[in-house]
């Protein structure tokens, strides 16, 4: 994430991941989830916070999930099922369950299939938000597989040359294992930025960079745009976003097309409406895949070559003004080590939300600043 | 493609598809390729020209391939073989054969596997140029499947924050069938422009846009530039013949990941290019571009059977509704029609099949000279 999206150090309150985990689990249970489901959902959320992907952790997302579960737009204990299946493929009806709960189980199915045929693909319809897509892709890693996860999401991205939103931010995640180095974990919206980043920017009061959003007529705004911190959050959610690339000349048609790939695999392939045809904001559909490395090459050789590849990229001399060249997943890996040790930095506004929700649900509030030591 | 990359109307020479096919096949035959392979290779190239993707058609590619045959970089009679296989996956050694010959055959294997298990994946090592990726992805369409094709290429892309190039343009293609509307066919380099577009821009003398290339310290050039004004690069249109003769395939200019800068999302396209290196390179044991030991190209192909997931008819009807809803979106202030990938190309194909393929006079001249040299048929 860009520096501007992190909680400023002087504002942050560090809370241990275990404390945060316990509280989040209890909140999910209070919202009607079974203990098993709440554990799955919390692990997805927490891993975003631990990896420094604050946009998709407890700060932004937990309150949304509480809202969806309480208003009934997502089911706490869905009766999801496989509706079509072959040796390597499955189609799942999520029964309006949060992807947070259903996607990890779908990924388990993909992994099982990949053990037998070399690959497993699962397309999931009738779903809800699945948190950080990278989490589900990363499930493949411990099985020495390459994992993918895509989400066909709420329509607020303006296709190249259009005046209106036509597709979702439609993120794509791909994870591939290495031997001694941090695994490659790519996870990004096919829009210039994720909608959650707009929320974070609003909380932090930082401007949006050139090329991230469009004006009301769909024209990419190619200069910095300040966000009013007091602005109605609903209005922020309705901002029109650009595909990655921002303008046609910079490649927005590529971001737009990758977004379409996600709609096709994540929605149309399971019979869901996508893009401009979508009707319900909370409705999100998914696609997960696992590729067994063993099916193609020796796992040991693959991992050694990954290390060599990733190291070669890290070793590139940086441009002036930058410390180093990164690859996707490296910074998150480093942050994970740090946050497991010294806790997760939360914004005071988030701590306050926890305080209120705990009191509302009759839970003990225990989030004083004490890092990861207790 | 952007308008600027097309041959200007007043210079166009229209060549009937059949003439171009015939002469191009004969050129491949002159290099010792088996007749069946010549037909495969020619079909891939002509499909690009028919679809208006001139960058990957005969104009740029045939002479580049000739140079590469001469320098023994391409094996005209590859003995490609399967080196590992499971019910849904396969690893192939391309034996330095042209991707436009090996990949279509590998895609047929992927489709066969997908008929049985729902999906077929193929990673191919030790390959050579694969032409327009969409061609291979589109093979899946005739089986009511979704097709993918990726190519891990030699270093051209400057990764985000790097001061030198390290990764290929690493294009990705996807094709998905529709019912009555043209299929969705996406095919794009993970750089702002394909290397071939730089050659084309040099030949046509048009400027490069902000965010396309890096300066000699790796910094994104965020203003319009003409290739001839950049000291760091030679004018590649000047000594094309010499470069082609040495087996040169595309521009050597340092390209930016699409988006151009980190703030505009260049880290996303850089990462997508890495995905291609992993699937089309490391997964078949090929050395990747950043290691400095990369040769040729690695490829990755996939076919997903629509029927494995959903009723094919329902899928295609939903695709039509989806694609139409995008076409129906109103235009922004630029006033250009909203399209989807593959839409313009399908329209162009219909037109060019009827009217012929527009070539630049320089290309026609090259064909004329080459036909005399090789003692084969003339284009016109």
């Amino acid at each position: 994430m860009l520096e501007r999206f992190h909680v400023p150090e002087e504002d942050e309150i560090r809370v241990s991941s275990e404390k945060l985990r316990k509280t989040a689990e209890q909140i999910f249970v209070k919202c009607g989830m079974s203990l098993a489901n709440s554990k799955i959902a919390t692990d997805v959320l927490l891993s975003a916070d631990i990896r420094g992907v604050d946009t998709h952790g407890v700060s932004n997302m937990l309150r949304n999930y509480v809202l969806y579960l309480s208003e009934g737009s997502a089911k706490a204990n869905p009766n999801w099922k496989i509706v079509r299946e072959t040796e390597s493929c499955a189609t799942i009806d999520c029964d309006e369950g949060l992807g947070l709960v259903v996607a990890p189980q779908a990924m388990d199915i993909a992994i099982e299939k990949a053990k037998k045929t070399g690959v497993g693909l699962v397309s999931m319809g009738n779903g809800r938000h699945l948190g950080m897509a990278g989490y589900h892709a990363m499930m493949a890693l411990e099985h020495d597989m390459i994992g993918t996860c895509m989400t066909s999401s709420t329509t607020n991205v303006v296709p190249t040359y259009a005046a209106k939103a036509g597709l979702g931010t439609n993120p794509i995640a791909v994870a591939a294992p290495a031997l001694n180095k941090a695994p490659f974990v790519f996870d990004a919206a096919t829009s210039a930025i994720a909608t959650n980043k707009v929320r974070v920017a609003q909380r932090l009061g930082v401007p949006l960079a050139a090329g991230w959003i469009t004006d009301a007529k769909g024209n990419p705004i190619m200069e910095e745009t300040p966000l009013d911190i007091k602005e109605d959050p609903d209005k922020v959610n309705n901002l029109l976003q650009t595909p990655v690339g921002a303008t046609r000349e910079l490649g927005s048609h590529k971001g737009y097309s990758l977004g379409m790939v996600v709609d096709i695999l994540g929605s149309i392939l399971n019979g869901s409406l996508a893009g401009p045809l979508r009707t319900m904001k909370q409705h999100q559909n998914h696609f997960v895949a696992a590729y067994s490395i063993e099916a193609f090459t020796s796992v040991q050789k693959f991992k050694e070559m990954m290390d060599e590849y990733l190291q070669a990229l890290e070793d590139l001399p940086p441009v002036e003004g930058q410390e180093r060249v990164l690859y996707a997943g490296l910074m998150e890996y480093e942050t994970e080590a740090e946050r497991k040790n010294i806790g997760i930095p939360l914004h005071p506004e988030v701590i306050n939300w926890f305080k209120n929700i705990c009191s509302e649900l009759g839970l003990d509030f225990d989030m004083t600043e004490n890092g990861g030591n207790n | 493609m952007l308008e600027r990359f097309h041959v200007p109307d007043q210079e166009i020479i229209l060549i009937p598809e059949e003439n171009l096919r015939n002469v191009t096949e004969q050129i491949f035959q002159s290099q010792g390729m088996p007749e069946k392979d010549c037909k495969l290779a020619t079909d891939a190239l002509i499909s690009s020209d028919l679809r208006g993707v001139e960058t990957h058609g005969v104009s740029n590619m045939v002479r580049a391939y000739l140079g590469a045959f001469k320098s023994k970089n391409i094996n005209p009679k590859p003995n490609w073989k399967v080196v590992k296989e499971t019910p849904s996956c396969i690893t192939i050694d391309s034996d330095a054969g042209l991707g436009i010959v090996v990949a279509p055959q590998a895609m047929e294997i992927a489709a066969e596997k997908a008929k049985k298990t729902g999906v077929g994946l193929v990673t191919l090592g030790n390959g050579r140029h694969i032409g327009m990726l969409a061609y291979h992805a589109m093979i899946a369409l005739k089986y009511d499947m979704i097709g993918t094709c990726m190519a891990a290429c030699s270093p051209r892309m400057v990764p985000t924050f790097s001061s030198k190039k390290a990764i290929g343009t690493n294009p990705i293609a996807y094709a998905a069938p529709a019912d009555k509307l043209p299929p969705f066919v996406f095919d794009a380099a993970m750089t702002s422009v394909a290397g071939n577009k730089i050659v084309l821009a040099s030949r046509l003398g048009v400027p490069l846009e902000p965010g396309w290339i890096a300066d000699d310290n790796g910094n994104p050039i965020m203003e319009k530039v003409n290739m001839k004004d950049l000291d760091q690069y030679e004018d590649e249109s000047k000594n094309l013949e010499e470069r082609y003769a040495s087996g040169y395939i595309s521009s050597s200019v340092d390209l930016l990941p699409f988006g151009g800068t980190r703030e505009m999302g260049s880290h996303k396209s850089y990462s997508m290019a890495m995905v291609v290196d992993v699937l089309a390179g490391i997964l078949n044991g090929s050395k990747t571009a950043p290691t400095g030991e990369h040769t040729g190209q690695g490829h990755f192909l996939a076919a997903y059977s629509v029927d494995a997931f959903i009723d094919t008819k329902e899928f295609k009807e939903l695709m039509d509704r989806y694609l139409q809803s995008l076409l129906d979106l109103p235009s922004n202030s630029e006033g250009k029609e909203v399209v989807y990938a593959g839409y313009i190309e399908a329209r162009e194909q219909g037109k060019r099949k009827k009217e012929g393929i527009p070539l630049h006079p320089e290309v026609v001249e090259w064909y004329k000279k080459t036909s005399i040299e090789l003692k084969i048929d003339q284009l016109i």
Side-chain angles (χ1 to χ4, degrees), chain B residues 271-307:
Chain B
S271 300
M272 289 298 293
M274 286 183 69
V275 172
V276 176
D277 271 346
V278 173
L279 295 178
I282 298 176
L283 202 53
N284 59 55
S286 295
K287 286 284 185 184
T288 50
T291 64
E293 296 166 63
H294 172 90
T295 50
Q297 284 189 352
H299 306 127
F300 179 80
L301 305 165
Y304 301 171
S305 162
V306 170
D307 183 60

Side-chain angles (χ1 to χ4, degrees), chain A residues 86 88 212 249 254 263 309, chain B residues 88 117 191 209 263 277 322:
Chain A
T86 66
S88 292
W212 286 1
E249 306 273 330
K254 302 186 183 188
D263 272 348
Y309 177 59
Chain B
S88 292
T117 66
T191 43
E209 282 296 312
E263 301 264 328
D277 271 346
Y322 174 63

Side-chain angles (χ1 to χ4, degrees), chain A residues 1-2 4 84-91 116-119 121-123 146 150 159-167 172 174 176 184 186 188-189 191-193 209-212 217-220 222 244-246 248-251 253-261 263-265 268-277 287 291 293-298 301-302 305-306 308-310 312-313 316-320 322 324-328, chain B residues 1-2 4 84-91 116-119 121-123 146 159-167 172 174 176 184 186 188-194 209-212 217-219 222 258-260 262-265 267-268 270-275 277-279 282-288 290-291 293 300 304 306-311 314-315 318-319 321-323 325-326 329-334 336-341:
Chain A
M1 291 205 309
L2 288 169
R4 73 175 72 187
R84 202 165 171 125
E85 190 170 15
T86 66
E87 272 178 272
S88 292
C89 308
T91 308
K116 291 179 195 134
T117 65
V119 54
L121 311 178
V122 183
S123 186
I146 296 167
M150 305 179 184
T160 307
Y161 297 145
K164 281 172 53 174
L167 68 168
I172 297 177
V174 181
F184 170 70
F186 168 58
S191 50
I193 52 165
W212 286 1
K217 289 178 180 155
N219 305 301
M222 297 308 282
V244 193
R248 169 65 179 81
E249 306 273 330
L250 283 167
H253 57 304
K254 302 186 183 188
Y256 162 36
S257 300
L258 284 168
M260 286 183 69
V261 169
D263 272 348
I264 292 168
L265 296 178
I268 300 176
L269 203 50
N270 57 56
S272 302
L273 294 176
L277 304 173
F287 180 81
Y291 301 171
I293 290 161
E294 179 64 40
F296 296 97
T297 187
S298 133
K301 184 179 165 200
F302 177 89
M305 289 186 73
M306 280 298 290
E308 181 191 29
Y309 177 59
L310 299 172
L313 290 169
L316 287 169
V319 282
E320 216 182 303
Q322 291 298 337
R324 56 180 181 156
V325 177
L326 299 163
Y327 64 84
Chain B
M1 290 204 312
L2 289 168
R4 73 183 65 182
K84 193 150 183 167
E85 187 168 9
T86 68
S88 292
C89 307
I90 202 159
T91 306
K116 291 179 196 136
T117 66
V119 53
L121 308 180
V122 188
T123 184
I146 295 169
T160 306
F161 296 157
S162 169
S163 62
K164 51 183 249 193
K165 65 183 167 194
I167 290 193
I172 296 178
Y174 275 94
F184 169 73
F186 168 58
M190 291 301 105
T191 43
S192 299
V193 287
E209 282 296 312
W212 284 8
N217 296 316
N219 299 299
M222 296 307 284
F258 78 84
R262 168 64 178 83
E263 301 264 328
M264 306 275 264
H267 59 304
K268 300 188 182 187
Y270 157 41
S271 300
M272 289 298 293
M274 286 183 69
V275 172
D277 271 346
V278 173
L279 295 178
I282 298 176
L283 202 53
N284 59 55
S286 295
K287 286 284 185 184
T288 50
T291 64
E293 296 166 63
F300 179 80
Y304 301 171
V306 170
D307 183 60
F309 295 93
I310 188 175
D311 174 68
E314 186 188 348
F315 176 86
L318 268 173
M319 278 297 287
R321 285 179 66 192
Y322 174 63
L323 298 172
S325 71
L326 290 167
L329 287 171
S331 299
N332 68 13
S333 307
E334 274 192 77
K336 296 193 169 125
E337 69 176 323
V338 180
V339 293
Y340 59 83

Side-chain angles (χ1 to χ4, degrees), chain A residues 91-221:
Chain A
T91 308
I92 284 179
D93 178 335
C94 295
D95 188 33
E96 303 174 12
L98 284 175
L100 224 49
V101 170
V102 185
Q105 301 177 75
M107 195 62 186
D108 281 337
I109 295 172
I111 290 165
E112 280 311 308
K113 288 183 178 292
K115 282 181 192 163
K116 291 179 195 134
T117 65
V119 54
L121 311 178
V122 183
S123 186
M124 308 156 73
N126 198 16
R128 299 294 182 267
H129 202 272
L130 59 52
M132 175 178 73
Y135 177 91
H136 310 287
M138 285 174 77
M139 285 177 65
L141 297 177
E142 62 178 302
H143 301 278
D144 290 333
M145 294 183 185
I146 296 167
T148 307
C149 177
M150 305 179 184
T151 291
S152 168
S153 64
T154 314
T155 306
N156 46 12
V157 176
V158 181
T160 307
Y161 297 145
K164 281 172 53 174
L167 68 168
T169 54
N170 293 10
I172 297 177
V174 181
L179 190 61
N180 299 312
K181 297 198 61 73
F184 170 70
V185 181
F186 168 58
D187 178 0
T190 52
S191 50
I193 52 165
T195 307
N196 275 345
K197 290 230 168 73
V198 180
R199 288 195 199 116
V200 173
Q202 186 198 25
R203 182 176 310 122
L204 301 175
V206 295
L208 298 178
W212 286 1
I213 56 170
T214 77
D215 66 17
K217 289 178 180 155
N219 305 301
I221 301 176

